């Protein structure tokens, strides 16, 4: 018996709703997998022990299993083979009628991993077998109930050609291995912990291996293994350092200890995600494992630390306690993002990492909340779950957890986390279960706080103040509102914790006398109503308020700071984020005025006070060069655009470029002095937070200086010195030369860089991205040429993200060219990608989905490209959902 199923067009897709959730009718307690890997096909035998769920209200005794692109070879129940009349096979399901309450089911399927360009399920790429099963990839391996609330114990036997695939890995602990006929071999893995199928993993290939050990707080020795492509073992040591730091931190911060004998990471070059937390066998995109000074920047090192930490922390927040259904995705992802952000703050820099996390939130999640794809942290519906691995679910979800920690305080929050892990270990649970746990330990009613999970949109908080000098009372009047979002026109007030301090004229924090609470220099006030008044007593002089310290809530804050107040906070606030934020508010105000002047053909001028503000910190704030580097960053064109009713890409670009050059001209001497002070002429590299800060500040200064033609040679010297030994210095020098140098020098340095590093795929990705982000007028033509270059492969997600993603997301002035060529180009690429890898095509189309934010001419051009995509009746579910929602009336 041999039957096959093929995917149907997405237009028959249906919407799945949270309200329709039902407990499973059947549980799969155990599954034994035998996977035989051959070059032309792979055979998968699954042996499952299944029982009826007594709590199910479904009267039917039908077992519905999901499967895609599978060839069914055989089925038997309790050892008896089924005939075709005893089951129903559709393109997406296998239905067994009237099954017993308890039985064993064995299914044999045939699949073709080498043809799997979607990189979901089991696929073979560059001679390596690999899996990606989250969210619904397991159904591309065998028929199964691949819902996260089906927790099973997995035993996996893998066989393959020993010469080609000497390393065979799966979840858990190794039970046995041996030789077979015809040069084949086998291994057997057992995961003692029940898990959902999205955490299943398999890898087969030939790798280099580095090993280490970690001794846990209970004196267990854990074997740590990182597998990388042959020849790249020397680039895995920072990842190993990151694993050990993450294990150490999780024991200290949350009391969480690793639970298996071995922890494995495998780095894969063709991978849709950043990484995947499969139990005991994490699979990573090479981008987040491989690093050495010659090939990786400081930011790469930081990202590796963060992502390795994230996937390791999932062992408890996601694996041991998982989500009941995909609507609860933020339960594992938002929580784990919060944990990895806290980790990098502790290991690196609390101030800088907070600034970077908030910047990412405001450049990605805030626009998402304001657009046609807006959805709550816990969505209410979806067509394709892959589309909800979003900044809202991840990053805003993390901010919700941070607010909860702020409201409860760190001690109660930790007690709540301990209880959550103890109460729900081995379970698939909901966001409601998590919040109830926090209520139980704190005694705080969090009913209103739950709105953060169910209401979409970014709240807008407006603050006005008054000071009564006679009574020495300082009053804040605070109101909140939230814009309409798709499907949600009326919003209830959120529970918003606002952390504040009051500064006197010397920049000192004033003691806060608020209600009958203990006196302190910083307070968290709870905004719960549409409008509230907060009074502080015994305030000796009119203060300057430091509001929303450390970005205590994911909101937009309106307070009428004067320019002088912003200068004062930029220089004196002790909260690192608020120092940075004061500069950003001032800069946005200035840049919006410059953009308006540009539209009116008025002369442009950067205020002397703004220049003096930058000069002050350059001269007086050298104790933290990492923070200083962030403070000298002008808001991105993308962020500036989000402050406009109608985004004017040309005016924004002109304004920001003018401001950058004005800063360079007026602070030239100071920037050059700072550059020389922190520049290491040898080009040698060492990763430490002090050295990172020095390099970041030095290269920030270089980015300004190279806007002046006389400093082209300075950038070229840095490029030449660092090319073979320090990518942190090489990359910004190359980017500066690509943006500012004459064509001959641009071509020369690009060619030299490529010739030097063409053997290293991740470095080539940097080469592609630099050109895709170029300010040169021929940027789109260069991107089109690079698509035909030997270095580009449209089947490789990293290459697509580097070239196409960078152009669409990080080069607004050229992507949004008035002739619409950028839009047409992206539509063509997205359409091509959709036939190969729907997840990647859906990610790439997003710049077009924001079409309503632009002028009428650009709206017409962008909408046209989306409508052209909709003419294809065979769009994937992934792409169809995003395009159709972006075109629908809000």
């Amino acid at each position: 018996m041999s039957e096959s199923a093929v995917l149907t067009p997405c237009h028959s897709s249906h919407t799945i709703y949270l309200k329709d959730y039902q407990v499973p009718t059947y549980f799969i307690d155990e599954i034994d997998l035998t996977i035989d890997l051959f070059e032309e096909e792979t055979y998968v035998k699954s042996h499952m022990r299944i029982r009826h769920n007594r709590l199910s209200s479904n009267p039917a005794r039908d077992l519905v299993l999901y499967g895609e692109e599978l060839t069914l070879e055989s089925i038997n129940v309790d050892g008896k083979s089924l005939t075709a009349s005893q089951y129903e096979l559709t393109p997406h399901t296998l239905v067994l009628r009237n099954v017993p309450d308890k039985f064993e089911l064995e299914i044999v399927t045939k699949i073709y991993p080498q043809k799997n360009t979607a990189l979901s399920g089991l696929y073979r790429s560059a001679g390596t077998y690999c899996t990606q099963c989250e969210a619904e990839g397991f159904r591309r391996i065998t028929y199964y109930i691949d819902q996260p609330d089906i927790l099973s114990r997995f035993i996996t036997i893998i066989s393959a050609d020993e010469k080609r695939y000497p390393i065979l890995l799966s979840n858990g602990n190794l039970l046995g291995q041996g030789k077979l006929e015809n040069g084949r071999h086998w291994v057997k893995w057992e995961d003692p912990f029940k898990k959902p199928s999205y955490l299943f993993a398999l890898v087969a290939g030939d790798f280099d291996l580095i090993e280490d050990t970690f001794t846990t707080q209970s004196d267990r020795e854990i074997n740590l293994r990182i597998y990388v492509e042959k020849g790249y073992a020397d680039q895995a040591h920072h990842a190993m350092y990151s694993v050990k730091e993450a294990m150490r931190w999780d024991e200290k911060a949350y009391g969480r200890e690793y639970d298996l004998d071995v922890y494995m990471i495998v780095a894969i070059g063709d991978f849709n995600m950043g990484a995947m937390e499969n139990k005991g066998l994490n699979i990573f995109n090479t981008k987040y494992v491989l690093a050495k000074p010659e090939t990786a920047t400081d930011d790469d090192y930081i990202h590796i630390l963060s992502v390795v930490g994230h996937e390791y922390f999932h062992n408890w927040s996601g694996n041991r306690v998982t989500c009941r259904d995909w609507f609860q995705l933020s339960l594992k992802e938002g929580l784990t993002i919060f944990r990895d952000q806290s980790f990098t703050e502790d290991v690196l820099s609390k101030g800088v990492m907070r600034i970077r996390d908030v910047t990412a939130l405001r450049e990605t999640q805030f626009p998402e909340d304001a657009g046609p794809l807006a959805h709550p942290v816990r969505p209410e519906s979806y067509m394709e779950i892959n589309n909800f691995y979003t900044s809202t679910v991840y990053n805003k979800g993390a901010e919700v957890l941070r607010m909860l920690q702020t409201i409860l305080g760190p001690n109660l929050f930790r007690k709540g986390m301990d209880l959550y892990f103890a109460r729900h270990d081995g379970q698939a649970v909901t966001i409601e279960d998590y919040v109830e746990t926090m209520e139980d330990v704190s005694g705080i009613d969090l009913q209103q706080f739950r709105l953060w999970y169910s209401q979409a949109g970014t709240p807008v908080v407006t603050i006005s103040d008054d000071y009564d000098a006679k009574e020495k009372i300082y009053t804040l009047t605070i109101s909140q509102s939230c814009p309409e979002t798709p499907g949600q026109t009326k919003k209830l007030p959120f529970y918003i914790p606002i952390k504040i301090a009051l500064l006197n004229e010397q920049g000192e924090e004033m003691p806060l006398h608020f209600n009958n609470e203990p006196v302190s220099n910083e307070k968290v006030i709870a905004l719960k109503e549409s409008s509230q008044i907060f009074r502080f007593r015994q305030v000796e002089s009119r203060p300057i308020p430091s509001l929303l310290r450390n970005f205590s809530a994911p909101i937009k804050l309106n307070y009428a700071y004067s320019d002088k107040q912003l200068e004062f906070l930029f220089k004196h606030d002790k909260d690192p984020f608020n120092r940075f934020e004061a500069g950003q508010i001032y800069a946005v105000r200035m840049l919006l005025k410059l953009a308006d002047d540009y539209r009116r053909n008025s002369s442009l001028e950067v205020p002397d006070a703004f220049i003096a503000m930058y000069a002050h910190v350059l001269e007086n704030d050298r104790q933290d060069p990492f923070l200083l580097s962030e403070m000298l960053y002008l808001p991105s064109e993308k962020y500036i655009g989000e402050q406009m009713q109608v985004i004017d890409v040309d005016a924004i670009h002109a304004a920001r470029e003018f401001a950058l050059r004005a800063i360079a001209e007026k602070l030239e001497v100071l920037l050059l002095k700072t550059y020389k002070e922190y520049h290491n002429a040898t080009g040698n590299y060492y990763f430490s937070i002090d050295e990172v800060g020095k390099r970041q500040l030095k290269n920030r200064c270089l980015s300004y200086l190279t806007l002046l033609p006389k400093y082209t040679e300075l950038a070229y010297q840095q490029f030449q010195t660092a090319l073979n030994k320090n990518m942190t210095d090489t990359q910004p020098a190359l980017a500066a030369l690509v943006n500012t140098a004459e064509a001959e020098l641009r071509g020369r340095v690009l060619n030299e860089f490529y010739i030097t590093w063409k053997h290293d795929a991740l470095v080539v990705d940097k080469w592609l991205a630099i050109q895709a982000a170029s300010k040169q007028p021929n940027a789109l033509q260069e991107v089109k040429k690079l698509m035909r270059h030997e270095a580009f492969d449209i089947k490789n997600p990293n290459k697509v993200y580097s070239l196409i993603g960078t152009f669409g997301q990080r080069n607004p002035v050229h992507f949004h060219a008035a002739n619409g060529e950028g839009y047409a180009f992206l539509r063509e690429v997205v359409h091509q990608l959709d036939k190969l890898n729907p997840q990647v095509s859906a990610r790439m189309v997003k710049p077009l989905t924001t079409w309503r934010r632009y002028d009428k001419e650009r709206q017409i051009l962008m909408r046209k490209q989306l409508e052209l995509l909709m003419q294809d009746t065979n769009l994937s579910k992934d792409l169809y959902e995003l395009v159709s929602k972006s075109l629908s009336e809000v």
Side-chain angles (χ1 to χ4, degrees):
M1 169 171 59
S2 178
E3 298 184 51
S4 62
V6 294
L7 289 172
T8 57
C10 79
H11 294 61
S12 64
S13 302
H14 66 284
T15 300
I16 298 171
Y17 295 92
L18 171 60
K19 63 182 176 61
D20 293 336
Y21 173 82
Q22 294 182 348
V23 299
T25 305
Y26 287 90
F27 290 124
I28 303 173
D29 291 320
E30 296 177 344
I31 176 170
D32 298 340
L33 287 170
T34 302
I35 301 177
D36 298 316
L37 305 171
F38 295 95
E39 291 306 295
E40 298 302 320
E41 66 272 323
T42 289
Y43 290 91
V44 180
K45 179 172 74 174
S46 63
H47 189 99
M48 295 169 277
R49 283 164 278 284
I50 302 174
R51 61 182 169 88
H52 183 257
N53 179 9
R54 290 176 296 174
L55 299 180
S56 172
S57 60
N58 187 350
R61 285 296 187 267
D62 296 341
L63 176 66
V64 180
L65 304 172
Y66 303 104
E68 291 182 359
E69 298 191 2
L70 305 174
T71 299
L72 180 62
E73 296 288 302
S74 65
I75 317 176
N76 70 66
V77 174
D78 289 333
K80 296 181 180 179
S81 181
L82 299 187
T83 63
S85 63
Q86 294 175 290
Y87 62 87
E88 178 183 346
L89 186 66
T90 76
H92 300 288
T93 60
L94 172 63
V95 182
L96 279 64
R97 303 295 185 190
N98 198 30
V99 297
D101 282 354
K102 188 175 182 180
F103 62 101
E104 296 190 13
L105 173 64
E106 185 174 283
I107 298 176
V108 177
T109 55
K110 182 169 63 174
I111 57 178
Y112 301 92
Q114 73 278 11
K115 299 179 182 179
N116 184 355
T117 61
L119 310 185
S120 173
L122 175 64
Y123 61 93
R124 189 177 77 209
S125 179
T128 298
Y129 286 92
C130 177
T131 55
Q132 172 54 40
C133 293
E134 188 176 358
E136 296 175 341
F138 194 74
R139 65 182 61 184
R140 297 166 70 93
I141 297 173
T142 188
Y143 289 100
Y144 197 75
I145 312 173
D146 61 346
Q147 301 166 184
D149 55 355
I150 300 296
L151 305 180
S152 307
R153 187 168 288 108
F154 279 68
I155 293 178
T156 305
I157 297 174
I158 311 167
S159 72
D161 182 274
E162 185 172 17
K163 185 176 180 180
R164 291 186 177 183
Y165 311 102
I167 296 172
L168 306 176
L169 306 174
S170 192
N171 310 86
N173 299 317
L174 182 65
L175 292 185
Q177 56 189 319
K179 306 282 187 180
L180 296 170
E181 295 179 350
N182 301 319
R184 295 175 64 80
H185 68 137
W186 64 273
V187 297
K188 184 175 184 179
W189 292 86
E190 179 189 38
D191 187 348
F193 296 95
K194 283 192 171 185
K195 65 173 179 283
S197 62
Y198 80 83
L199 292 172
F200 172 76
L202 177 153
V203 173
D206 191 7
F207 303 95
D208 279 345
L209 167 66
I210 71 165
E211 293 187 87
D212 205 334
T213 60
F214 179 83
T215 302
T216 69
Q217 58 191 0
S218 65
D219 290 327
R220 291 175 55 244
E221 188 172 277
I222 309 300
N223 182 229
L224 309 177
R225 303 175 188 168
I226 299 181
Y227 297 88
V228 297
E229 184 181 337
K230 285 287 188 180
Y232 286 84
D234 63 332
Q235 297 194 37
H237 295 290
H238 179 67
M240 184 64 81
Y241 157 81
S242 301
V243 171
K244 298 176 77 171
E245 286 295 303
M247 298 178 89
R248 189 175 294 113
W249 183 87
D250 210 18
E251 289 186 348
K252 180 180 179 181
Y254 287 93
R256 299 298 106 192
E257 184 175 313
Y258 189 64
D259 49 11
L260 292 170
D261 299 332
V262 60
Y263 178 74
M264 298 177 286
I265 288 175
V266 182
I268 299 295
D270 293 300
F271 200 67
N272 284 339
M273 305 288 192
M276 181 62 211
E277 70 267 19
N278 316 297
K279 182 71 179 182
L281 177 57
N282 291 183
I283 299 177
F284 275 64
N285 190 314
T286 51
K287 179 179 175 66
Y288 297 109
V289 171
L290 301 181
K292 62 180 180 179
E294 301 94 315
T295 62
T297 65
D298 287 333
D299 287 342
D300 293 327
Y301 275 79
I302 290 169
H303 289 148
I304 288 169
L305 182 72
S306 173
V307 176
V308 167
H310 181 94
E311 304 309 326
Y312 174 77
F313 301 145
H314 263 312
N315 188 58
W316 278 93
S317 50
N319 296 4
R320 288 286 287 266
V321 183
T322 193
C323 49
R324 184 196 72 178
D325 54 72
W326 292 120
F327 297 102
Q328 319 298 327
L329 181 59
S330 193
L331 179 65
K332 75 181 188 75
E333 295 300 347
L335 177 55
T336 307
I337 285 282
F338 172 62
R339 276 157 45 77
D340 87 55
Q341 289 179 351
S342 303
F343 166 60
T344 53
E345 286 177 18
D346 287 346
V347 174
L348 298 172
S349 165
K350 284 188 180 295
V352 172
M353 298 316 296
R354 185 63 182 142
I355 287 167
R356 290 186 169 195
D357 290 336
V358 173
T359 298
L361 178 85
R362 295 201 290 203
E363 290 195 357
T364 56
Q365 196 281 320
F366 277 24
E368 192 169 84
D369 247 350
L373 305 179
H375 55 278
V377 173
R378 181 183 56 212
E380 297 174 354
S381 66
Y382 63 82
M383 293 181 192
E384 172 51 64
I385 184 55
N386 287 322
N387 287 333
F388 279 93
Y389 285 74
T390 62
S391 185
T392 297
V393 169
Y394 277 62
N395 302 81
K396 186 176 181 179
E399 294 299 319
V400 173
L401 272 298
R402 189 180 291 266
M403 285 191 291
L404 194 55
Q405 185 188 55
T406 300
I407 292 167
L408 269 64
N411 293 333
L412 278 178
F413 184 79
R414 168 63 192 273
K415 288 181 180 178
M417 290 298 301
D418 288 346
L419 180 59
Y420 171 69
F421 288 131
R423 178 183 285 178
H424 297 297
D425 189 12
Q427 297 178 10
V429 298
T430 65
I431 288 169
E432 180 63 27
D433 293 322
Y434 179 87
V435 178
E436 283 182 1
T437 302
M438 293 299 173
E439 286 180 320
D440 289 346
V441 299
S442 68
I444 298 174
D445 183 354
L446 296 171
Q447 187 59 40
Q448 183 182 10
F449 185 81
R450 289 169 169 84
L451 293 172
W452 283 103
Y453 287 106
S454 59
Q455 291 187 162
T458 304
V460 178
V461 172
T462 301
I463 300 180
S464 61
D465 62 352
D466 179 71
Y467 178 65
D468 185 331
K470 182 179 179 181
E471 299 294 330
K472 297 185 178 181
I473 294 175
Y474 180 69
T475 303
L476 292 176
T477 301
I478 309 181
S479 62
Q480 63 165 299
S481 62
C482 189
E484 295 183 4
T485 52
Q488 294 184 342
T489 55
K490 294 183 179 180
K491 307 293 177 70
L492 296 173
F494 290 87
Y495 184 159
I496 303 176
I498 301 175
K499 189 178 294 186
I500 71 165
L502 304 179
L503 306 187
N504 64 21
E505 292 179 353
Q506 290 73 44
E508 299 164 337
E509 294 174 353
M510 305 168 74
L512 299 180
H513 299 265
F514 180 68
N515 295 338
N516 295 317
E517 297 178 8
V519 177
S520 64
N521 290 344
E522 187 176 75
K523 288 287 185 185
V524 177
I525 56 178
L527 177 63
K528 298 182 180 180
E529 307 296 333
S530 297
S531 182
Q532 285 176 254
I533 295 174
F534 301 87
R535 291 186 175 88
F536 299 88
R537 305 185 183 280
Q538 300 180 43
V539 180
E540 296 300 322
S541 60
R542 185 176 188 94
I544 295 178
S546 175
L547 303 169
L548 199 69
R549 289 189 131 195
N550 204 41
F551 199 69
S552 60
I555 63 172
K556 294 181 179 179
L557 178 67
N558 292 328
Y559 174 80
Y561 282 114
S562 68
D563 290 350
K564 286 191 176 296
Q565 287 177 319
L566 293 171
E567 293 169 31
F568 182 87
L569 292 170
F570 188 76
K571 295 174 183 177
H572 299 295
D573 202 329
K574 290 182 174 61
D575 184 277
F577 176 80
N578 275 30
R579 287 192 73 191
F580 164 82
E581 179 70 347
Q584 295 292 290
I585 294 170
Y586 195 169
V588 167
R589 184 180 295 175
M590 172 193 70
L591 290 162
L592 289 176
K593 183 181 184 306
L594 287 173
D596 188 52
D597 290 341
Y598 173 83
R599 279 192 295 269
R600 293 187 288 106
N601 292 318
S602 300
S603 61
L604 306 185
E605 184 175 353
V606 173
D608 289 340
F610 186 87
I611 299 295
M613 185 177 74
Y614 271 26
H616 175 88
V617 294
L618 272 168
E619 290 173 328
N620 300 293
D621 280 294
R622 298 297 185 89
Q623 66 272 21
D624 189 348
F626 201 6
L627 176 60
L628 179 54
S629 172
E630 295 296 319
M631 293 175 67
L632 295 174
Y633 174 71
L634 280 186
S636 69
E637 293 181 24
K638 184 174 183 180
Y639 183 69
I640 299 165
E642 290 304 318
Q643 316 312 309
M644 293 180 165
Q645 280 293 113
V646 177
I647 298 173
D648 186 337
V649 291
D650 297 315
I652 291 169
H653 182 72
R656 190 172 187 272
E657 289 297 303
F658 177 84
L660 289 168
R661 187 177 178 92
I663 293 168
E665 290 173 343
K666 295 181 180 182
L667 295 180
E668 177 186 352
V669 173
L670 199 49
L671 290 167
L672 183 60
K673 176 185 175 183
T674 306
Y675 175 87
K676 289 180 176 179
E677 181 178 343
Y678 289 108
H679 179 56
N680 180 349
T682 68
N684 294 332
Y685 181 96
Y686 177 70
F687 182 77
S688 72
I689 193 60
D690 290 338
E691 293 299 313
V692 167
K694 292 175 184 177
R695 284 188 292 268
Q696 295 285 310
L697 179 56
K698 180 269 300 279
N699 284 318
R700 180 77 71 209
C701 292
L702 181 70
S703 70
Y704 281 109
L705 290 168
T706 51
L707 297 172
L708 309 178
K710 68 171 88 172
Y711 292 105
T712 297
E713 181 60 28
L714 182 68
Y716 185 63
Q717 288 174 3
Q718 179 170 311
F719 174 80
Q720 291 286 79
T721 301
L723 181 58
N724 292 295
K725 53 186 174 182
N726 184 335
M727 187 57 66
T728 302
D729 281 356
T730 304
Q731 183 170 325
L734 177 62
L737 291 168
V738 167
N739 284 324
T740 63
E742 296 296 326
E744 186 278 330
L745 181 55
R746 288 202 309 270
R748 180 152 43 96
V749 293
L750 282 168
N751 185 62
E752 188 174 354
F753 185 91
Y754 180 71
I755 294 299
T756 303
W757 291 112
K758 65 180 180 180
H759 62 280
D760 191 303
L762 292 178
V763 180
V764 171
D765 291 343
K766 299 178 191 301
W767 182 76
L768 294 170
I770 285 171
Q771 294 174 84
S774 169
K775 298 175 185 177
Q776 299 296 336
N778 64 338
L780 176 57
Q781 286 66 40
E782 291 301 310
V783 169
K784 289 180 177 180
K785 283 171 57 178
L786 287 168
M787 283 194 69
R788 301 188 295 272
H789 194 279
E790 64 178 4
F792 183 76
D793 179 1
I794 198 169
K795 294 181 180 179
N796 178 267
N798 283 355
K799 293 291 182 285
V800 174
Y801 302 153
S802 296
L803 186 63
I804 311 304
T806 298
F807 180 72
Q809 298 279 9
R810 290 174 44 206
N811 200 337
V813 72
H814 293 310
F815 173 68
H816 292 285
N819 59 15
E821 287 185 7
Y823 308 147
F825 166 73
L826 184 60
R827 186 258 308 163
E828 292 168 2
V829 174
V830 164
H831 197 243
Q832 183 181 358
L833 278 167
D834 200 46
K835 310 306 177 186
L836 300 169
N837 192 326
Q839 288 185 41
V840 175
S841 71
R843 292 177 185 179
M844 291 301 99
V845 81
K846 286 187 177 180
L848 288 173
T849 66
T850 61
W851 59 275
R852 286 184 174 87
R853 296 286 284 111
Y854 296 88
D855 58 77
K856 290 183 179 179
E857 292 76 14
R858 286 182 170 90
Q859 284 189 24
I860 292 169
L861 294 169
M862 296 171 81
R863 181 175 180 128
K864 177 184 177 182
Q865 302 307 320
L866 293 168
E867 290 171 343
L868 286 172
L869 285 172
M870 286 294 289
Q871 291 178 10
D872 184 350
T873 58
N874 290 304
L875 286 186
S876 68
K877 286 192 300 181
D878 309 59
L879 187 56
Y880 175 78
E881 179 175 26
L882 298 189
V883 175
S884 61
K885 284 183 176 179
S886 69
L887 287 171
S888 64
E889 296 298 325
V890 178

